Amino acid sequence: MKFSQFIGQEDAGLGLLLNAVDPRCGGLLLVGGRGSGKSTLARLARGIIPAHLPFVELPLNVTEESLLGGIDLEQTLASGRPVLQPGIISRANGGVVFVDDINLLSRELLALLMEPQSRGMEIIQREGLTEQRESSFVILATMNPEEGDLSPHLADRIGLCAVMEEQNGRDERLAIMRLAKETPFFTVEHDREAMDLISVARGLLPEVRFSAQALEHLQQVVQRNISPGHRGDLFLYHAARACAALQGAADVEKEHIDRVANLVFSHRRLQLREEEQNSTEPEQPHDQDQQQNNEQRDDQGEQPPPPENGQDENDRHPSGEGEHESTVSMGESAQREEIMGVGAPFKLRRLSFRKDRRKRQANGRRTRTRIKGRGGRYVKSLLSSTEHDIAIDATLRACAPFQKARNRQGMLKIEQDDLRFRQRERRMGHLVLFVVDGSGSMGARQRMMETKGAVQSLLLDCYQKRDKVAMIVFRKDRAELVLPPTASVELAARRLAELPVGGKTPLASGLLKTHRLVRRTSMHHPEQRILVVLITDGRGNQHLTPETRKEEVSNLAGLLMEEPQCDFIVIDTEHKGNFLRSDLAMDLARQLEAEYYTIEALKSEYLAGMVQARMPG
């Protein structure tokens, strides 16, 4: 079957041709449901690229070693020196890497795949060997949105995206059946006509001009299609030039830019829209659990449990309908209440957290953790391991003293007791849960402005470390989840800017809400590390129970401490120049065994100043 015989899906076909003409278009993501033909079309792309260029298909069960390359054991033992074996990325240099169902590939492997593509260089470090290789390839991928999503920052690295709709028309279905009858067995044939078209376009491409008027029109298109960063602008520029070259034009015209704009921005707009929807949807799982519990009680003739002491109806349904209403009212009330601006962000001091002994399928850039499988960085050797990932260097060192006793002649003699196994680590991201005091006292001395500046700085750090973020605000008589867990730091920044201040300080509600979200996240994602960043002066004045403030906060802090995968930071917003300072936030930090900072102490300049002050001379 030839590429040009594929029925319909003109946008997807154009995306493949553009990448064949100019690899700087950034690759192509084909999005569609089952049976839409995305995998078939992607494999047909093999027939429009020159035969000498590699077309490598990446399996979903690929290991880090087979992707990047590793030690060639056979050659190493034969030659007596370490020999590196090229991985899939090296073999694909100059050609295409095809990933079917890219959304099912782990984020860590995806990051490893895309890093050499954007850098143009592959750096391999194995067993003390370091090697650098040039790396240039196009990523061609498919995904079915029903089977999972793709991280926004990884999707943004793919230049073009085509959404493939089902071919439901009578004529299209009939044409597909006729084609299936003619080609009962699927094989990819070279499409000479398409290859000639691409060859001519490649020759024209260096001569294609981009006038000032065309550049102005490009910027207007970019402004109509809001997307994060500048990758969209650059991919649109290259795609428009490739489109002009395909049509044999010497200058890029407006129609060339308009023709490829949807390919460039469809997945970027889609990601933003999904994030907005996810952030405003009520948390259905909790509602369903609540409904199931009520149905079970009805079946058993039981009465529903009484409300907790001092707790109103919305607090009993913090993540259900009441929460949705409260989130909406938050936006409405924000129109009426004081909304303070966001203070200037600053460079944070380095934040580090304890390592635990749990093995995970991790990705991110914050805390090191042990890894399941054979991915990650080799840190030390072990006498036993369930992964059976042999550490060659440690095994050779273990068997070396016994070679004479074993009468070695030529080959090394290795026995079972000599085997050592690798322990690997990789950095992981956290779920960073911001718990922000939005009471009226935060309006004094522009403390909320400083607080927003601190949270904005932390959000930038979360983006760099690939963390997920969520946000709870407590004010008036309740705590509200204003941002459910999301990977979109941009969305979190927008929600932060909209936060109003006013009312009392329901600190206990904030801690209770935090515990419920942590508990729920731990049940659904038991491997997830959670960092709770509590931003308050600790002066709670709205109670949930008849207990004193101190007893209530202490009990809730004890409840949070029972969550083993949780770390805490308390940022004290109290003005420390006041002689009436209470240091209640410091007490709370002590109860949570949390790291304690004032906003000033979070800044890296503060730490540098402290070090310099203690330096002699």
Side-chain angles (χ1 to χ4, degrees):
M1 183 175 174
K2 295 180 180 178
F3 173 79
S4 56
Q5 290 180 294
F6 193 84
I7 309 296
Q9 312 292 359
E10 286 76 14
D11 281 354
L14 176 61
L16 289 170
L17 291 173
L18 294 175
N19 277 282
V21 172
D22 188 355
R24 291 174 295 181
C25 291
L28 176 67
L29 175 64
L30 299 175
V31 180
R34 289 171 294 175
S36 56
K38 53 189 184 300
S39 300
T40 301
L41 181 60
R43 290 190 171 92
L44 286 174
R46 187 198 299 257
I48 62 172
I49 64 173
H52 67 279
L53 295 181
F55 186 98
V56 182
E57 187 163 346
L58 189 73
L60 293 179
N61 61 350
V62 65
T63 64
E64 184 178 320
E65 198 157 300
S66 59
L67 180 66
L68 301 176
I71 294 290
D72 187 332
L73 184 58
E74 186 176 347
Q75 291 295 324
T76 298
L77 292 178
S79 64
R81 59 181 180 81
V83 178
L84 281 176
Q85 187 177 38
I88 288 176
I89 290 178
S90 298
R91 297 204 302 273
N93 188 30
V96 175
V97 174
F98 170 48
V99 190
D100 203 9
D101 294 323
I102 192 172
N103 50 327
L104 302 184
L105 197 64
S106 78
R107 291 178 61 184
E108 184 67 24
L109 288 172
L110 264 178
L112 291 175
L113 173 66
M114 292 183 173
E115 180 66 24
Q117 189 209 24
S118 58
R119 184 186 295 182
M121 180 72 68
E122 182 189 12
I123 302 174
I124 305 169
Q125 292 183 327
R126 289 286 186 277
E127 315 287 354
L129 291 179
T130 301
E131 190 168 309
Q132 293 188 6
R133 297 170 180 163
E134 288 187 6
S135 183
S136 173
F137 57 89
V138 170
I139 294 178
L140 176 57
T142 69
M143 68 172 280
N144 181 353
E146 296 174 358
E147 297 175 345
D149 58 0
L150 185 63
S151 173
H153 74 273
L154 292 176
D156 185 50
R157 293 192 175 199
I158 301 178
L160 311 180
C161 173
V163 179
M164 298 178 64
E165 306 290 346
E166 287 186 45
Q167 303 290 313
N168 288 324
R170 178 185 176 279
D171 294 341
E172 288 86 359
R173 285 181 173 273
L174 196 57
I176 292 171
M177 289 306 300
R178 285 173 179 154
L179 182 61
K181 184 180 176 184
E182 293 173 5
T183 55
F185 302 104
F186 178 79
T187 55
V188 179
E189 298 178 21
H190 285 290
D191 193 327
R192 295 296 174 193
E193 187 177 346
M195 292 176 73
D196 291 344
L197 178 66
I198 292 168
S199 178
V200 171
R202 281 187 165 183
L204 286 176
L205 186 64
E207 309 300 328
V208 173
R209 296 183 292 270
F210 215 111
S211 65
Q213 291 82 2
L215 201 59
E216 182 66 29
H217 182 69
L218 182 144
Q219 283 307 312
Q220 292 173 3
V221 172
V222 169
Q223 289 176 2
R224 287 200 300 269
N225 297 275
I226 299 172
S227 64
H230 297 280
R231 286 198 178 101
D233 310 32
L234 298 174
F235 289 137
L236 181 59
Y237 173 82
H238 292 300
R241 290 187 77 237
C243 184
L246 266 178
Q247 296 183 9
D251 296 281
V252 175
E253 305 291 345
K254 290 182 179 179
E255 53 265 29
H256 299 136
I257 299 172
D258 294 338
R259 179 68 184 89
V260 300
N262 197 47
L263 284 169
V264 174
F265 292 107
S266 59
H267 55 315
R268 295 176 171 87
R269 289 195 306 262
L270 185 65
Q271 294 285 355
L272 285 176
R273 192 160 57 242
E274 287 178 349
E275 288 160 7
E276 291 280 3
Q277 289 173 351
N278 292 337
S279 67
T280 55
E281 285 177 355
E283 296 174 28
Q284 297 296 334
H286 185 77
D287 288 345
Q288 292 171 359
D289 293 344
Q290 189 75 29
Q291 186 177 356
Q292 288 175 359
N293 291 336
N294 291 338
E295 289 174 354
Q296 289 176 359
R297 290 193 197 98
D298 291 340
D299 294 342
Q300 297 169 8
E302 296 179 4
Q303 296 296 320
E308 295 177 27
N309 193 10
Q311 197 174 2
D312 62 19
E313 188 67 18
N314 285 328
D315 282 330
R316 285 203 304 115
H317 302 279
S319 60
E321 186 178 352
E323 180 178 286
H324 179 57
E325 291 174 352
S326 66
T327 304
V328 174
S329 67
M330 183 95 180
E332 294 171 351
S333 60
Q335 303 294 329
R336 303 190 300 269
E337 297 181 342
E338 186 178 8
I339 300 177
M340 309 193 75
V342 180
F346 49 82
K347 187 177 180 181
L348 281 178
R349 62 190 300 170
R350 184 182 176 86
L351 302 175
S352 58
F353 304 95
R354 61 184 168 81
K355 288 198 299 185
D356 58 19
R357 303 177 67 84
R358 187 165 194 162
K359 288 186 176 181
R360 298 179 170 86
Q361 296 286 358
N363 52 66
R365 295 183 178 176
R366 188 172 291 280
T367 306
R368 292 191 183 281
T369 184
R370 297 182 181 181
I371 289 296
K372 292 178 181 175
R374 300 192 174 188
R377 176 170 165 262
Y378 168 35
V379 291
K380 68 177 184 180
S381 61
L382 303 171
L383 287 173
S384 64
S385 170
T386 56
E387 308 296 340
H388 302 294
D389 184 11
I390 296 175
I392 297 171
D393 57 336
T395 300
L396 294 177
R397 285 196 296 270
C399 74
F402 307 104
Q403 296 305 301
K404 188 175 180 180
R406 293 172 185 170
N407 296 321
R408 172 196 169 190
Q409 294 178 352
M411 301 286 287
L412 284 172
K413 291 193 173 182
I414 302 175
E415 297 183 357
Q416 184 69 30
D417 291 342
D418 299 327
L419 294 180
R420 300 293 185 269
F421 303 92
R422 293 169 175 161
Q423 178 176 305
R424 295 178 182 269
E425 287 185 352
R426 180 180 286 162
R427 290 189 183 275
M428 63 177 296
H430 291 226
L431 168 61
V432 181
L433 172 56
F434 293 94
V435 185
V436 183
D437 182 351
S439 64
S441 62
M442 294 293 287
R445 298 174 184 268
Q446 296 188 327
R447 284 198 293 169
M448 182 50 103
M449 183 179 289
E450 291 183 2
T451 298
K452 287 185 176 182
V455 175
Q456 182 71 34
S457 306
L458 287 162
L459 285 174
L460 291 173
D461 189 57
C462 291
Y463 173 75
Q464 293 167 357
K465 300 296 191 301
R466 302 290 186 261
D467 293 322
K468 286 187 174 183
V469 295
M471 191 178 297
I472 290 173
V473 175
F474 54 94
R475 66 189 191 100
K476 291 186 174 177
D477 59 348
R478 68 187 64 176
E480 304 167 2
L481 179 64
V482 297
L483 181 71
T486 175
S488 173
V489 172
E490 294 89 350
L491 185 59
R494 288 203 295 273
R495 289 297 164 84
L496 174 69
E498 297 168 355
L499 287 183
V501 294
K504 295 184 176 181
T505 311
L507 176 60
S509 291
L511 294 176
L512 182 61
K513 189 81 168 179
T514 302
H515 175 259
R516 287 175 174 170
L517 181 59
V518 168
R519 188 69 181 158
R520 193 160 59 245
T521 303
S522 301
M523 291 175 66
H524 293 163
H525 308 284
E527 295 182 352
Q528 178 74 63
R529 286 280 296 269
I530 303 172
L531 171 61
V532 176
V533 181
L534 183 58
I535 306 171
T536 180
D537 58 5
R539 294 173 182 264
N541 54 17
Q542 180 77 15
H543 293 233
L544 288 174
T545 66
E547 296 174 324
T548 64
R549 187 210 69 83
K550 187 175 180 180
E551 292 172 341
E552 193 175 57
V553 170
S554 178
N555 291 337
L556 289 168
L559 209 57
L560 282 167
M561 286 295 295
E562 293 176 2
E563 302 299 329
Q565 72 281 28
C566 215
D567 300 285
F568 300 93
I569 290 178
V570 173
I571 301 176
D572 193 348
T573 59
E574 185 180 46
H575 179 55
K576 297 301 179 186
N578 194 334
F579 71 96
L580 292 176
R581 54 189 284 184
S582 63
D583 289 334
L584 291 174
M586 189 181 293
D587 293 338
L588 179 57
R590 198 174 297 116
Q591 292 169 10
L592 290 171
E593 298 181 7
E595 293 188 31
Y596 169 85
Y597 302 99
T598 60
I599 291 178
E600 187 64 25
L602 267 181
K603 301 176 181 177
S604 60
E605 294 88 349
Y606 177 85
L607 183 61
M610 292 285 289
V611 172
Q612 289 175 358
R614 292 172 181 271
M615 291 280 286

